[in-house]
Amino acid sequence: MLRGAGHTLLLSSVGIIFGAMVGGIFAIVRTYPTRLLIPVRILIWIYTEIFRRTPLLILILLSYFGLAIVKIKVSNLFVALVAVSAASIAYMAENIRAGINSLPYTQWEAGFALGLRGFQVLYYVVLPQALRISIPPSIGFFQSLIKDTSMATIIGIVELTHAGVILRYRFPLASFYIFGAVMVAYFLICFPLSWAGDRVERRLKRG
């Protein structure tokens, strides 16, 4: 069970970190007011649309068999990390982009009127407000991502749910208690994330 919880934490943590970092960069590129980035925006839009509309299970299988076709030998855990991160990046890019676009363009104009450069307006004016809007849906997505890592079992990763299944076959009479423990484990992983998100959201509102 502990090994399964460790894999669940690893998959979700890497997905959350890469999703927030790379997804944030993608969102900025898609919303930054310059025509020079239009070709890159189109590529990012194609990426987010495809990966947001593809089930994580399919992404895991495509990563698994795709790497095998090109004869790249990596561990199944690495394959799952790639698929989870790819999905997280797409969703977070859209969440943050929506937060930025929800602000009126007058916010940019006000920053430019004060003599700020584009990235200064983005950093000091736009992003602080956009983050307040983006945090609630992002926290909800991260909690779903943690639970969706159970799909990595399809390529043999012993994550939390799979660990419960293995224990159930060893101790069939204790099935209820085993999956009850799995439920508690997911709660213990998800609740601190939700609590931290609420704290950050309140701090941003006060700021």
Side-chain angles (χ1 to χ4, degrees):
M1 184 76 76
L2 290 177
R3 180 189 175 192
H7 282 159
T8 294
L9 283 170
L10 177 62
L11 288 167
S12 55
S13 298
V14 171
I16 288 171
I17 292 170
F18 274 90
M21 292 177 60
V22 182
I25 293 171
F26 281 6
I28 290 171
V29 171
R30 285 195 64 189
T31 55
Y32 194 74
T34 176
R35 294 186 177 182
L36 296 176
L37 296 175
I38 289 178
V40 183
R41 288 177 191 163
I42 293 173
L43 292 176
I44 293 174
W45 175 79
I46 293 172
Y47 172 86
T48 55
E49 290 300 308
I50 292 174
F51 279 76
R52 284 174 59 237
R53 284 162 175 75
T54 304
L56 180 57
L57 180 61
I58 300 300
L59 292 179
I60 292 173
L61 291 172
L62 285 174
S63 300
Y64 181 78
F65 293 113
L67 291 173
I69 289 175
V70 296
K71 297 182 179 180
I72 297 178
K73 295 182 180 180
V74 293
S75 67
N76 289 357
L77 181 60
F78 182 82
V79 172
L81 288 170
V82 169
V84 170
S85 297
S88 181
I89 289 169
Y91 276 95
M92 285 305 299
E94 188 62 20
N95 281 347
I96 299 173
R97 183 203 64 81
I100 294 174
N101 281 349
S102 67
L103 302 175
Y105 189 72
T106 52
Q107 297 291 322
W108 290 90
E109 293 174 337
F112 292 139
L114 292 173
L116 299 177
R117 296 180 181 274
F119 277 104
Q120 290 176 318
V121 176
L122 182 70
Y123 184 79
Y124 292 109
V125 179
V126 175
L127 281 182
Q129 299 179 75
L131 287 176
R132 298 172 191 169
I133 300 170
S134 301
I135 284 177
S138 297
I139 294 298
F141 166 71
F142 288 150
Q143 291 180 350
S144 296
L145 183 69
I146 291 171
K147 292 176 283 188
D148 287 346
T149 57
S150 61
M151 297 180 189
T153 187
I154 195 69
I155 57 173
I157 304 299
V158 182
E159 41 65 55
L160 194 53
T161 301
H162 192 180
V165 172
I166 292 173
L167 287 175
R168 185 260 176 191
Y169 281 111
R170 292 181 182 177
F171 309 100
L173 296 179
S175 298
F176 176 83
Y177 303 102
I178 290 171
F179 288 108
V182 171
M183 180 186 72
V184 171
Y186 275 115
F187 173 80
L188 292 176
I189 294 172
C190 292
F191 180 77
L193 179 63
S194 177
W195 178 83
D198 289 340
R199 296 273 296 183
V200 171
E201 186 179 0
R202 291 172 188 170
R203 180 169 295 183
L204 286 172
K205 286 181 177 178
R206 288 199 301 267

